[in-house]
Amino acid sequence: TAEKLFKVLRCLFFPVDCRQYTNRSCEECLKNVTCLWCASSGRCVEYPIRRVLPPADLCELRSARWGVCWVNFEALIIAMSVVGGTILIMLGVCCCCCCKKKSKKPDKDDERAAREREKRRVRQEERRAEMKSRHDEIRRKYGTMLMQAIQTKL
């Protein structure tokens, strides 16, 4: 929301010393997004932004809180690993199922399209044969009439 964005921008442009929230509550410390709360020591420290995870000498992962007080980094890493692994497995299963289905047999749409093509081809052959017989009939009719006309003139 706009309020959260404003808080983030305010913290980035007007940094607050996180140490002033030490020995207070986690909620007070984490109002500033640049702060990290260490539950075991009750300290509020600046989050080490150059590193993904806070180093162990700063705070243990199971005691470190950032963003919200009810989730520690250890639980966050486990949860994200489980979710990421589940998504990767689901993608792999979907890819295998799709590839197996395509290579196994043509689907109903492909079969229907092939049947329609065959019907069209048969109808076209019938039309060609009918047209050829008509043309042959016309040739015979006019060919003999033409021959009769030539013979009468001679």
Side-chain angles (χ1 to χ4, degrees), residues 63-93:
S63 298
R65 308 285 193 271
W66 181 71
V68 290
C69 294
W70 53 272
V71 177
N72 63 34
F73 270 94
E74 200 171 56
L76 184 66
I77 290 169
I78 292 169
M80 289 181 71
S81 299
V82 168
V83 170
T86 304
I87 289 172
L88 287 175
I89 289 171
M90 288 172 51
L91 284 173
V93 168

Side-chain angles (χ1 to χ4, degrees), residues 9-24:
L9 292 175
R10 185 185 70 199
C11 291
L12 290 174
F13 292 110
F14 304 105
V16 176
D17 185 21
C18 295
R19 289 177 290 182
Q20 71 183 359
Y21 298 111
T22 296
N23 294 326
R24 292 192 185 172

Side-chain angles (χ1 to χ4, degrees), residues 135-149:
H135 290 155
D136 288 346
E137 188 178 316
I138 291 171
R139 284 186 193 106
R140 268 187 256 120
K141 179 180 174 184
Y142 290 106
T144 51
M145 291 176 75
L146 183 63
M147 293 295 267
Q148 288 174 354

Side-chain angles (χ1 to χ4, degrees), residues 13 15 32 56 59 64 74 81 84 98 100 102-103 108 120-121 126 130 142 147:
F13 292 110
N32 187 345
C59 189
E74 200 171 56
S81 299
C98 289
K100 190 179 280 188
K102 288 290 182 187
S103 65
K108 292 178 182 178
R120 276 191 234 115
R121 188 187 65 75
E126 289 171 355
E130 186 180 322
Y142 290 106
M147 293 295 267

